């Protein structure tokens, strides 16, 4: 019962937030393209939004929703590869720097990560472009290469050229997120290793790798998920920057184009979609949090 | 029984153990918190360690299994267990002893179990760390042990997380874990002080019975003399980092010789008349760094006299008792004039 | 009045007791980074007098001097120490003015954040109830949504609404306003926590019984407790704001084109990088990293140095 109620209350809040955002986006529409709102009052606009019609782009003369859905796979794949890269790098590095904090390599990794926090995403992007594309001529610098349709999804992850194209933007984005997550994981691991359960595990002679894995890493999962949820806004902002840097044909580029062309309907459609995305991610983060947190999950189930 | 047994039955022998903490202030010396602890434990024996908070009981327990804080150091002394000196072992060798030969039960089961793993997962981690068996076999061992500690419906309980069980059940589970590898010794550090009173006697009797039935020796740590009175063969009384008296539990309670032991007994609830308020030992246990060349109990001792403030008492060993008090030592016992208040 | 005076004194004592200067001398990294930060700040403040050219004077653009590499390069020109950009402007001059812009935006935006955060945090803690819930809810939202994302949306929309030309008249002020209003939650949380800690202490009740204005005393008591954490947060936030300003200028929705900023310089230099002229984008990038790193390191050190746990002799 409790479960149903909490889902319901969440849905209602989300709907309210979306309506609120839709009002803002109507106002924005009027600001950017006043003629668009001349024959459309707020109520009509809201009704359209609720029925899933986000209007038509002034520049492309195409439905906004369709335009965004066309470019969304590009953004989604970029974010996916970025997250995979971050996870694949952060876990071994975090474990290593926590297991051997005094090791020379661990110390230099932490020093580099401190510098990394101060590295803006567009600078790492520029440097990578200069080395890997201009100097070495290994990787392409713009677009996403050959894509293959899977249903209505244009995927770049099935072709060699797609992977070549995604390398630089994904590496750039993950470098921007890495230092933060690395420092968090290391701090969490070091703290968990001082905790009572680990002391009992050590007293019972449990093998160190089991302690690191099932006590250290497992207990650091929750703070990492929380952090990931908190960083979603930053990730979105960085994705916009990286997409414009690499001319990645994703939602971020489309948004910047709409801004540069003063395409009111497209901009306001973006606002609503950002709100929806944001709400879904926070729902997913909560779900994941519950999944990895037995006490909370059980409390929910009751 | 202990003192009459042959040396071959000796399981644990702690000799002159000194442990100190590294001071945060470099100009201050590191002061010993355990100050020359010596005792023996025979196979299958149930030994109690009693003392008030801060006496160093937990520190002694963790020094035995060499699981000290990074700031603590064994300065001197040895811990012989089954023929090897644990202070000399590598961390790899120690892991063969911890859990496998010495099981550990800590105070608060709610905070000592991993909240993110089911009981089964935690028991399996422990068993699989020591024995080269399949998960299915390990699960059978775990189930068997959970039955031994009388956890109802162990098959379902096993798949639950710590927060889904009561404190008493959790403590049973940690006892099951401590017993899982058939150790020779279990160290239980205040295993019941986080539980409510009705649970305490039950857990203690479970622990002592299991140890007795499996021939496991038990080092039972508590600040409550009445709790261990029936649960131990011998008893160590600890005060300010030293063992001040040790002997058979029964005779120790009937005929306490050290003034600290005497006041502990006076403070037992059974000892006070109905309606009378409980006796409390006046004053506070001194910090290790406040102790000079004196008896550590002198500031609270009713019998203290000149010698007590001038030199620490030596250990007086009689047939079955060891006491560290000037009063008991014939060489330093007060002259009749001194003993007059 | 007396309370205020006493606590004013108290604040000083606390600060002095921490012996910041001695601690700074003992920490090499912090010392070097604060020296670098000081140098950068001074050169930025003196940029109009120090820089060899004035980047805002159009006459000085000379297409003949365009795309010159740094002076130590064989094709370099000794007049342009760090080379020139695509329009023939001296990079060093633009760079100095860019640092000045960054620090200027950072300073004012953080001042705004500090004020807003302090007020909201004090209100949330003092009034409690729905006020507290509302402020904390907003803070959570703001933290998750990130100030950079909010700034991108607001500034981008304003630009689309105003058109590029009008927008750039206002953009420096808008930038400060948005970045200043977007990042208050950390200050508010710190203040709220210390108000709550203080609220239930005896002297507040006593002051109320005696008819004094407990609010006044409370504020005077709370400020010294929060001064250190607020200082650390504010220092870190300066770096954060500078980073955000650079990202926004890079995207073309921050500082106007004529007004040199590090992010804008990198944005326009990126095309040149693709044809191998690395210095146009990289020089401002290096300056930006130097600035951010030195601020972050100083903030890191401040956090440790002001931590009450670390007062007294160290191991
Ligand atoms: N990290 C530490 N640094 C310095 N001294 C410490 C530290 N940990 C413990 N001590 C000291 O060691 C002494 C023994 O502590 P211990 O925890 O062993 O006492 P205890 O007898 O188990 O008490 P309790 O009944 O409260 O558990 C205490 O006097 C304490 O002051
Ligand atoms: S030595 Fe003296 S002070 Fe210490 S316990 Fe014996 S009588 Fe008391
Ligand atoms: Mg203890």
């Amino acid at each position: 019962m409790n479960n149903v109620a909490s889902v319901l209350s969440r849905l209602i809040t989300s709907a309210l937030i979306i309506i609120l955002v839709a009002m803002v986006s109507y106002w924005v529409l009027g600001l950017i393209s006043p003629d668009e709102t001349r024959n459309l009052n707020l109520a009509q606009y809201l009704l359209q939004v609720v029925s899933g019609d986000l209007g038509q782009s002034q520049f492309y003369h195409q439905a906004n929703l369709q335009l965004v859905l066309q470019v969304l796979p590009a953004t989604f794949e970029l974010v996916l590869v970025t997250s995979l890269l971050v996870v694949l790098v952060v876990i071994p590095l975090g474990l290593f720097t926590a297991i051997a904090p005094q090791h020379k390599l661990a110390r230099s990794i932490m020093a580099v990560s401190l510098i990394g926090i101060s590295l803006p995403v567009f600078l790492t992007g520029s440097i990578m472009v200069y080395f890997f594309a201009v100097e070495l001529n290994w990787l392409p610098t713009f677009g996403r290469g050959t894509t293959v349709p899977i249903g209505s999804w244009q995927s770049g992850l099935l072709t060699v050229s797609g992977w070549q194209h995604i390398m630089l933007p994904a590496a750039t984005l993950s470098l921007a997120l890495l230092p933060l997550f690395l420092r968090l994981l290391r701090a969490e691991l070091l703290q968990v290793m001082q905790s009572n359960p680990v002391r009992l595990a050590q007293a019972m002679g449990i093998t160190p790798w089991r302690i690191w894995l099932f006590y250290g890493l497992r207990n650091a999962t929750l703070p990492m998920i929380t952090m990931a949820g908190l960083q979603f806004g930053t990730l979105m902002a960085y994705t916009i920057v990286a997409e414009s840097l690499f001319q990645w044909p994703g939602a971020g580029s489309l948004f910047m184009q709409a801004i540069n062309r003063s395409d009111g309907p497209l901009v306001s459609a973006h606002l609503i979609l950002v709100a929806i995305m944001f709400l879904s991610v926070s729902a997913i983060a909560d779900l994941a949090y519950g999944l990895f947190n037995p006490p909370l999950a059980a409390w929910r189930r009751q | 029984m202990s003192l009459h047994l042959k040396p071959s039955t000796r399981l644990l022998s702690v000799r002159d153990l000194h442990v100190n903490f590294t001071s945060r202030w470099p100009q201050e010396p590191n002061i010993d918190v355990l100050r020359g602890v010596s005792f023996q434990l025979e196979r299958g024996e149930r030994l109690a360690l009693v003392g008030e908070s801060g006496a160093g009981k937990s520190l002694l327990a963790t020094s035995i299994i060499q699981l000290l804080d990074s700031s603590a150091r064994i300065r001197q002394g040895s811990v012989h267990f089954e023929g090897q000196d644990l202070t000399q072992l590598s961390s790899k060798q120690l892991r063969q002893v911890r859990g496998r030969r010495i099981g550990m039960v800590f105070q608060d089961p709610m905070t000592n179990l991993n909240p993110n793993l089911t009981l089964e997962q935690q028991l399996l981690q422990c068993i699989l760390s020591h024995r080269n068996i399949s998960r299915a076999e390990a699960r059978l061992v775990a189930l068997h042990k959970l039955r031994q500690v009388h956890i109802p419906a162990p098959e379902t309980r096993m798949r639950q997380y710590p927060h889904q069980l009561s404190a008493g059940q959790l403590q049973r589970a940690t006892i099951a874990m401590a017993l899982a590898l058939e150790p020779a010794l279990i160290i239980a550090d205040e295993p019941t002080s986080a539980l409510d009173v009705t649970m305490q006697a039950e857990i203690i009797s479970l622990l002592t019975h299991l140890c007795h039935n499996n021939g496991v020796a038990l080092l039972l740590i508590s600040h409550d003399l009445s709790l261990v009175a029936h649960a131990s063969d011998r008893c160590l009384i600890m005060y300010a980092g030293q063992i001040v008296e040790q002997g058979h539990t029964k005779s120790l309670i009937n005929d306490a010789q050290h003034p600290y032991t005497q006041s502990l007994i006076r403070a037992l609830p059974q000892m006070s008349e109905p309606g009378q308020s409980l006796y409390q030992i006046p004053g506070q246990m001194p910090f290790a760094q406040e102790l000079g060349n004196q008896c550590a109990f002198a500031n609270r001792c009713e019998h203290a006299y000149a010698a007590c403030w001038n030199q620490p008492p030596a250990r007086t060993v009689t047939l079955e008792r060891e006491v560290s008090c000037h009063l008991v030592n014939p060489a330093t016992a007060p002259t009749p004039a001194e003993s007059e208040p | 009045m007396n309370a205020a005076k006493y606590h004013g004194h108290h604040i000083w004592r606390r600060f002095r007791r921490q012996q910041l200067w001695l601690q700074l001398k003992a920490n090499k990294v912090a010392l070097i980074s604060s020296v670098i930060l000081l140098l950068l700040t001074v050169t930025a403040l003196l940029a109009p007098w120090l820089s060899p050219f004035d980047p805002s004077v159009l006459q000085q653009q000379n297409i003949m001097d365009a795309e010159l590499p740094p002076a130590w390069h064989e094709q370099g020109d000794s007049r342009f120490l760090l080379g020139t950009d695509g329009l023939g402007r001296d990079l060093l001059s633009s760079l100095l003015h860019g640092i000045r812009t960054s620090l200027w935006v950072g300073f004012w935006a953080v001042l705004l954040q500090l004020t807003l955060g302090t007020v909201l945090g004090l209100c949330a803690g003092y009034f409690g109830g729905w006020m507290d819930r509302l402020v904390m809810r907003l803070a959570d939202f703001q933290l998750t949504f990130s100030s950079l994302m909010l700034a991108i949306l607001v500034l981008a929309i304003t630009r689309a609404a105003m058109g590029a030309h009008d927008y750039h008249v206002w953009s420096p002020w808008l930038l400060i306003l948005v970045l200043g209003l977007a990042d208050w939650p950390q200050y508010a949380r710190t203040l709220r926590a210390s108000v709550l800690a203080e609220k239930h202490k005896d002297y507040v009740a006593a002051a109320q019984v005696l008819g004094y204005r407990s609010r006044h005393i409370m504020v005077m008591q709370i400020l010294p407790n929060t001064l250190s954490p607020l200082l650390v947060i504010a220092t870190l936030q300066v770096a954060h704001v500078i980073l955000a300003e650079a990202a926004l200028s890079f995207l073309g929705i921050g500082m106007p084109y004529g007004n040199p900023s590090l992010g804008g310089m990198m944005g326009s230099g990126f095309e040149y990088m693709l044809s191998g002229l690395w210095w146009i984008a990289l020089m401002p990038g290096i300056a930006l990293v130097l600035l951010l790193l030195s601020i972050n390191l100083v903030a890191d050190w401040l956090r440790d140095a002001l931590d009450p746990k670390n007062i007294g002799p160290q191991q």
Side-chain angles (χ1 to χ4, degrees):
Chain A
M1 272 335 277
N2 207 335
N3 209 355
V4 175
S6 80
V7 168
L8 214 63
S9 95
R10 177 158 212 140
L11 279 177
I12 292 171
T13 348
S14 305
L16 283 178
I17 291 175
I18 288 176
I19 289 176
L20 211 71
V21 172
M23 287 177 177
V24 174
S25 78
Y26 177 79
W27 178 64
V28 166
L29 181 63
L31 270 183
I32 301 179
S33 319
D35 14 323
E36 290 281 334
T37 50
R38 205 154 288 147
N39 303 319
L40 186 74
N41 62 29
L42 179 60
Q44 288 169 319
Y45 181 80
L46 289 182
L47 219 62
Q48 271 187 14
V49 170
V50 170
S51 64
D53 174 11
L54 296 182
Q56 244 203 358
S57 156
Q58 279 180 340
F59 180 82
Y60 291 99
H61 300 292
Q62 234 182 316
N64 288 323
L65 188 59
Q66 211 181 336
L67 279 172
V68 177
L69 286 182
Q70 272 167 14
V71 297
L72 217 49
T75 302
F76 182 81
E77 285 179 0
L78 178 58
V79 170
L80 183 76
V81 173
T82 300
S83 321
L84 282 180
L85 269 179
V86 170
V87 171
L88 284 182
V89 175
V90 152
I91 291 180
L93 284 194
L95 279 174
F96 172 64
T97 51
I99 291 176
Q102 299 304 326
H103 194 282
K104 272 216 183 78
L105 189 58
R107 281 159 166 254
S108 15
I109 290 174
M110 293 322 287
V112 169
S113 87
L114 194 63
I115 300 177
I117 286 185
S118 308
L119 270 183
V121 64
F122 42 89
L123 180 61
T124 36
S126 306
I127 293 174
M128 293 230 268
V129 164
Y130 185 70
F131 273 106
F132 293 104
V134 179
E135 283 290 312
L136 298 171
N137 207 3
W138 284 354
L139 293 168
T141 60
F142 69 91
R144 62 191 295 230
T146 324
T147 54
V148 179
I150 310 171
S152 57
W153 185 281
Q154 289 286 335
S155 172
L157 298 184
L158 297 176
T159 63
V160 177
S161 122
W163 276 100
Q164 282 174 341
H165 281 79
I166 210 168
M167 280 328 269
L168 283 183
T172 301
L173 264 180
S174 43
L175 275 181
L177 299 170
L178 264 175
L180 195 67
F181 282 94
L182 177 59
R183 296 180 81 79
L184 177 74
L185 179 59
R186 187 183 107 104
E188 284 298 330
L189 284 176
L190 287 178
Q191 203 185 334
V192 172
M193 291 317 277
Q194 302 294 323
S195 69
N196 278 347
V198 169
R199 192 185 50 147
L200 178 63
Q202 287 169 338
M204 295 306 296
I206 292 180
T207 336
W209 70 263
R210 286 180 190 275
I211 298 185
W212 283 106
L213 216 61
F214 295 103
Y215 288 72
L217 216 47
R218 178 64 184 79
N219 292 5
T221 319
L222 283 182
M224 297 295 279
I225 291 175
T226 313
M227 180 62 125
L230 277 177
Q231 287 300 308
F232 181 66
T234 308
L235 174 63
M236 216 162 15
Y238 284 175
T239 310
I240 295 178
V241 175
E243 284 193 1
S244 13
L245 186 67
F246 293 97
Q247 295 170 46
W248 188 257
S253 295
L254 189 67
F255 175 72
M256 288 314 289
Q257 277 171 25
I259 292 292
N260 287 331
R261 293 173 177 141
S262 290
D263 191 341
L266 193 49
V267 171
S268 52
H270 264 97
L271 279 188
I272 296 173
L273 289 170
V274 163
I276 292 176
M277 201 127 69
F278 200 69
L279 289 171
S280 352
V281 166
S282 87
I284 291 172
D286 277 5
L287 210 70
Y289 196 88
L291 218 61
F292 282 95
N293 187 356
L296 193 70
W299 178 76
R300 286 250 169 90
R301 247 180 270 123
Q302 280 163 12
Chain B
M1 56 178 170
S2 59
L3 292 181
H4 309 293
L5 289 172
K6 293 193 186 73
S8 65
T9 65
R10 179 145 303 158
L11 180 64
L12 173 72
S13 158
V14 174
R15 276 200 210 103
D16 196 30
L17 192 65
H18 291 258
V19 176
N20 63 19
F21 284 95
T22 311
S23 166
R24 244 165 69 84
W25 280 265
Q27 63 268 33
E28 277 186 14
N30 303 334
I31 295 203
D32 288 352
V33 177
L34 287 191
R35 305 177 298 137
V37 172
S38 304
F39 68 90
Q40 272 104 40
L41 180 60
E42 311 298 325
R43 283 191 185 275
E45 187 185 26
R46 301 170 307 166
L47 180 66
L49 173 61
V50 177
E52 67 195 272
S53 188
K57 307 180 298 286
S58 303
L59 194 59
L60 178 54
T62 43
S63 337
I64 290 172
I65 55 168
Q66 312 292 310
L67 197 70
L68 290 166
D69 272 12
S70 54
S71 59
R73 204 169 53 88
I74 295 185
R75 186 174 66 77
Q76 188 185 319
S78 63
V79 178
H80 281 275
F81 175 80
E82 292 192 323
Q84 37 187 356
D85 184 356
L86 298 187
T87 61
Q88 303 301 321
L89 295 190
S90 68
S91 59
K92 210 168 180 179
Q93 292 167 314
L94 272 174
R95 220 165 47 241
Q96 303 297 313
V97 176
R98 291 180 190 156
R100 183 183 294 202
R101 303 305 304 151
I102 304 181
M104 196 78 194
V105 178
F106 286 117
Q107 182 167 348
D108 183 0
M110 305 291 238
T111 66
N112 279 309
L113 287 168
N114 185 343
N116 290 320
L117 297 184
T118 60
L119 282 192
E120 173 178 348
Q121 286 168 326
Q122 307 197 37
L123 281 162
L124 288 199
Q125 292 308 326
C126 181
I127 295 167
L128 291 175
S129 292
H130 292 286
R131 290 176 59 183
N132 203 2
I133 54 177
S134 71
R135 289 185 78 83
E137 288 169 303
R139 192 172 292 124
L140 285 181
V141 174
L143 204 58
H144 175 64
K145 292 295 166 189
L146 287 177
R147 286 214 180 87
Q148 276 195 346
V149 296
H150 307 308
I151 286 194
E155 289 91 346
T156 40
R157 287 294 177 198
M158 241 166 114
R159 269 179 240 111
Q160 295 185 319
Y161 289 94
H163 73 273
Q164 291 167 299
L165 282 80
S166 70
Q169 285 169 329
L170 288 180
Q171 198 59 302
R172 285 167 198 270
T174 51
I175 292 172
M177 197 196 273
L179 281 167
L181 293 144
E182 274 136 33
L185 168 65
I186 285 186
I187 301 178
D189 187 356
E190 314 223 18
T192 60
S193 28
L195 310 179
D196 54 49
V197 190
T198 49
M199 210 67 222
Q200 292 188 352
E202 214 172 301
I203 292 285
I204 294 285
S205 88
L206 176 78
L207 202 54
T208 48
H209 276 109
L210 280 176
C211 287
H212 184 75
N213 295 345
N214 295 313
V216 181
L218 175 67
L219 177 58
L220 180 59
I221 299 176
S222 175
H223 57 259
D224 184 355
L225 189 56
S226 63
L227 196 73
V228 301
H230 304 289
S232 59
D233 307 316
R234 271 190 330 120
C235 188
L236 311 173
I237 307 290
M238 192 168 200
Y239 187 80
Q242 282 174 323
I243 308 285
V244 293
E245 182 162 12
Q246 56 175 305
H248 290 296
T249 310
K250 272 209 191 80
S251 80
L252 190 118
I253 288 179
N254 292 334
D255 173 30
Q257 297 190 353
H258 193 282
Y260 178 59
T261 318
Q262 291 165 355
S263 28
L264 276 183
I265 291 167
R266 256 179 86 188
L268 291 178
Q270 299 91 304
M271 288 294 150
S272 58
E273 311 273 311
Q276 199 183 339
S277 66
L278 274 182
Y279 172 76
Q280 273 197 330
I281 311 173
Q284 293 229 309
M285 191 169 69
F287 288 114
Q289 55 268 31
E290 297 165 8
L291 286 175
N293 208 18
Q294 60 171 84
C295 168
F297 192 55
N299 63 329
R300 306 167 78 180
C301 181
E302 291 178 349
H303 309 283
Y305 61 105
C308 306
W309 294 99
N310 294 331
Q311 67 183 90
R315 193 175 309 142
T316 312
V317 185
T318 54
L319 186 54
E320 60 87 24
R321 190 75 64 89
E322 280 185 35
V323 188
S324 300
C325 172
H326 288 312
L327 285 176
V328 181
N329 189 346
T332 55
T335 58
E338 277 177 318
S339 60
E340 289 298 316
Chain C
M1 268 331 286
N2 264 337
K5 217 165 157 190
Y6 167 71
H7 285 297
H9 181 66
H10 189 66
I11 297 172
W12 254 123
R13 253 217 340 254
R14 272 170 78 116
F15 253 91
R16 276 218 311 271
R17 200 173 55 210
Q18 278 146 353
Q19 295 175 317
L20 285 186
W21 171 238
L22 286 184
Q23 294 201 38
L24 188 60
K25 272 206 299 197
N27 186 335
K28 281 245 170 54
V29 177
L31 190 64
I32 294 173
S33 43
S34 44
V35 167
I36 291 178
L37 182 57
L38 201 70
L39 277 177
L40 286 173
T41 315
V42 169
T43 43
L45 289 178
L46 299 179
W49 298 278
L50 280 184
S51 51
F53 298 89
D54 183 351
S56 58
V57 177
L58 293 175
Q59 284 79 7
Q60 285 187 356
Q61 293 180 12
N62 185 347
I63 209 70
M64 297 305 290
D65 294 331
E67 302 175 8
L68 285 175
W72 61 84
H73 203 275
E74 45 194 66
Q75 278 133 34
D77 185 321
S78 59
R79 281 177 303 155
F80 309 109
L81 187 57
L82 299 181
T84 59
D85 67 6
L87 297 175
R89 284 175 298 194
D90 178 36
L91 272 182
L92 179 62
S93 306
S94 306
L95 207 103
L96 291 178
H97 282 84
I99 297 176
R100 188 178 152 93
T101 310
S102 295
L103 286 171
W104 183 75
V105 172
F107 178 77
W108 288 110
V110 166
L111 203 64
L112 199 57
Q113 294 175 357
L114 193 60
T115 319
L116 184 68
T118 307
V119 171
L120 284 176
L122 281 177
C123 288
Y126 192 79
F127 296 111
W130 65 268
M131 181 82 163
D132 186 25
R133 279 199 298 277
L134 182 71
V135 170
M136 286 301 109
R137 217 36 205 274
L138 276 176
D140 282 346
F141 172 76
Q142 179 61 67
L143 272 183
T144 322
F145 197 68
S146 96
S147 52
L148 183 56
M149 189 62 201
L150 192 74
I152 288 179
L153 287 184
V154 173
L155 294 178
I157 288 167
T158 321
R159 201 192 107 140
M162 282 184 167
H165 183 263
D166 283 350
Y167 175 73
H168 282 313
V169 176
W170 295 104
S171 62
W173 303 104
L174 267 175
L175 207 57
I176 290 176
L177 197 68
V178 171
L179 290 175
L181 295 183
D183 233 341
W184 51 272
Q186 281 177 296
Y187 307 92
R189 286 185 166 183
T190 308
L191 272 158
R192 173 180 175 270
S194 64
V195 175
L196 289 184
E198 210 62 32
K199 210 173 175 177
H200 301 291
K201 291 201 176 150
D202 290 341
Y203 78 90
V204 177
Q208 272 164 350
V209 171
L210 292 173
Y212 290 124
R213 286 190 311 162
S214 61
R215 206 177 310 178
H216 179 75
I217 301 175
M218 232 167 96
V219 168
M220 291 322 293
Q221 185 70 31
I222 287 162
L223 281 182
N225 286 336
T226 46
L227 207 60
S228 302
L230 283 187
L231 186 67
V232 175
I233 299 175
T235 315
L236 278 174
Q237 277 306 122
V238 173
H240 202 246
V241 167
I242 289 177
L243 187 61
E245 181 269 319
L248 292 164
S249 301
F250 182 88
L251 284 175
I253 50 178
M255 278 292 167
Y257 296 128
N259 211 344
S261 76
L262 299 177
M265 287 167 77
M266 292 174 70
S268 47
F270 183 67
E271 298 165 40
Y272 297 98
M273 192 172 239
L274 290 179
S275 42
L277 312 180
W278 52 269
W279 59 91
I280 304 181
L282 213 58
M283 287 299 173
I286 293 170
L288 182 61
V289 170
L290 214 56
L291 186 60
L292 293 174
L293 192 62
S294 59
I295 298 177
N296 278 336
L297 287 174
V298 168
D300 241 32
W301 163 76
L302 261 183
R303 180 182 15 226
D304 289 343
L306 294 178
D307 190 337
K309 270 181 287 184
N310 295 346
I311 295 177
Q314 288 179 340
Q315 247 175 262

